[in-house]
Amino acid sequence: MKEAQLEQFLHYLATERQLSPHTLNNYSRDLLRFLEFVEEHRLAQWADVSARHVRQFAAQIHRQGLAGKSIQRTLSAVRSFYRFLAREQWVEQNPAEAVQAPKASRKLPNTLDTDQITRLLDIPVSDALSARDLAIMELIYSSGLRVSELVGLDMQNLELAEHSLRVLGKGNKERELPVGRKALQALDRWFDYRDQLADYTQPALFVSSRGGRISVRTVQQRMEYWGKRLGITGRVHPHRLRHSFASHMLESSGDLRAVQELLGHEDISTTQIYTHLDFQHLMQVYSGAHPRAQKKDK
């Protein structure tokens, strides 16, 4: 009976919800794992499963090495399945509704150190594409832009005389950012070449070889190309450059609130995730600031 109801749910996902084969495979794998747990605990019907059982199940798959993100997905599948069972009037309650998975740890890209940044931003400019690519990478590192923010920039967003730009971030929130000297120089060089690719009526700051607004995928591909060509360790991509910006700014200034504003984070805890201080720097700050950590004068 339990297997038949599970099959009906998967059929519902495929026909009424029209989920992709990949998503269906995930649902099927996660729910078969749950079915195995239910059978091991000799629960005759889905209605016999309690919230305590679901918590035990989550703990079990956690012990088996399943990552937080995978546990979240599995519990989401169980919750959806019980909503279906309730809709069909096979159960009265959803035992998975209040069960939360352990928070998934966020994996961040490694930063580029200052030597790698110098090598990456010393690319030979010989044509419009290399001039554009250098300006793109300089601007991301200079202002900590998200790649979506970068590709959305128009010419009118730049305030060259003020050394700044206006960017539209997440939630359609606009913020003003400083632009560094090296990035301004790279932009000037890009403007010398830009009319080779784009008509003067094109508002986009950065354009593709066909003259339209550049895409996120093209930016990613070009950065990966330059990373490989210049022998940079690990894959070079926009978020790695943004993360390097944030880390270097925080290491130099120690001003978490300022870095939060520059990155456009709503919550400062997000900035704490994206940035880090090495332990040696923390010890230096502690030793210099804490009254009971300072060495006594001899």
Side-chain angles (χ1 to χ4, degrees):
M1 180 66 173
K2 292 195 297 291
E3 292 88 342
Q5 291 169 332
L6 181 54
E7 284 298 323
Q8 287 188 46
F9 174 62
L10 294 174
H11 179 72
Y12 156 77
L13 294 179
T15 55
E16 293 190 38
R17 295 275 302 278
Q18 297 186 331
L19 299 185
S20 70
H22 174 72
T23 304
L24 282 172
N25 284 336
N26 285 340
Y27 267 99
S28 178
R29 183 173 62 251
D30 293 339
L31 290 172
L32 286 174
R33 184 184 285 123
F34 184 57
L35 174 62
E36 185 178 330
F37 171 87
V38 169
E39 295 287 357
E40 286 174 357
H41 286 72
R42 298 177 181 175
L43 300 168
Q45 303 177 60
W46 293 116
D48 295 334
V49 176
S50 67
R52 178 175 58 83
H53 291 125
V54 179
R55 280 192 289 272
Q56 288 175 343
F57 170 65
Q60 176 178 296
I61 58 179
H62 179 64
R63 287 193 301 270
Q64 290 170 351
L66 216 63
K69 192 172 183 181
S70 298
I71 298 173
Q72 286 176 355
R73 187 197 66 215
T74 302
L75 290 179
S76 176
V78 174
R79 279 191 288 271
S80 296
F81 177 47
Y82 267 90
R83 290 187 195 111
F84 172 79
L85 293 175
R87 193 190 76 169
E88 298 298 318
Q89 298 184 339
W90 289 326
V91 299
E92 293 183 2
Q93 295 181 338
N94 188 336
E97 201 65 61
V99 180
Q100 297 297 318
K103 209 166 189 177
S105 61
R106 296 183 61 173
K107 291 184 179 178
L108 295 171
N110 295 325
T111 59
L112 294 160
D113 61 34
T114 51
D115 289 338
Q116 290 175 313
I117 289 287
T118 299
R119 282 166 53 201
L120 181 64
L121 300 181
D122 194 28
I123 67 175
V125 173
S126 57
D127 56 16
L129 293 184
S130 56
R132 178 201 65 191
D133 294 348
L134 177 60
I136 282 174
M137 291 190 289
E138 282 280 12
L139 198 55
I140 292 175
Y141 182 64
S142 164
S143 305
L145 299 178
R146 300 179 177 96
V147 65
S148 58
E149 295 170 346
L150 176 102
V151 301
L153 285 173
D154 288 336
M155 294 288 290
Q156 66 179 13
N157 294 131
L158 286 176
E159 298 288 350
L160 295 178
E162 303 294 329
H163 295 189
S164 67
L165 61 83
R166 287 173 290 103
V167 65
L168 196 63
K170 286 186 176 180
N172 287 327
K173 290 186 177 179
E174 189 177 78
R175 67 187 191 281
E176 189 171 0
L177 296 172
V179 180
R181 177 176 56 86
K182 289 286 188 180
L184 289 170
Q185 291 173 354
L187 284 169
D188 282 339
R189 189 178 295 186
W190 160 234
F191 295 149
D192 291 339
Y193 285 97
R194 185 177 178 277
D195 61 359
Q196 295 180 15
L197 299 181
D199 186 81
Y200 73 94
T201 60
Q202 171 58 253
L205 175 58
F206 294 112
V207 297
S208 69
S209 56
R210 296 183 178 181
R213 185 181 299 275
I214 198 168
S215 68
V216 167
R217 185 66 187 135
T218 298
V219 174
Q220 292 168 337
Q221 289 172 336
R222 294 298 292 178
M223 288 184 64
E224 188 170 2
Y225 162 78
W226 285 112
K228 288 179 179 177
R229 177 171 167 176
L230 298 171
I232 305 298
T233 303
R235 192 166 69 88
V236 175
H237 51 86
H239 184 58
R240 190 178 181 192
L241 208 54
R242 171 173 155 90
H243 185 49
S244 301
F245 157 84
S247 297
H248 296 167
M249 284 292 297
L250 188 57
E251 286 168 9
S252 298
S253 70
D255 192 333
L256 191 63
R257 290 287 179 187
V259 175
Q260 177 191 5
E261 289 295 322
L262 290 168
L263 291 173
H265 288 157
E266 187 77 23
D267 190 337
I268 199 166
S269 66
T270 308
T271 314
Q272 291 170 323
I273 293 170
Y274 272 76
T275 56
H276 64 272
L277 288 167
D278 59 67
F279 187 69
Q280 184 178 7
H281 179 73
L282 281 174
M283 285 301 293
Q284 289 171 352
V285 172
Y286 177 80
S287 297
H290 197 290
R292 289 188 176 270
Q294 295 166 7
K295 293 180 180 177
K296 291 182 179 179
D297 294 330
K298 293 182 178 179

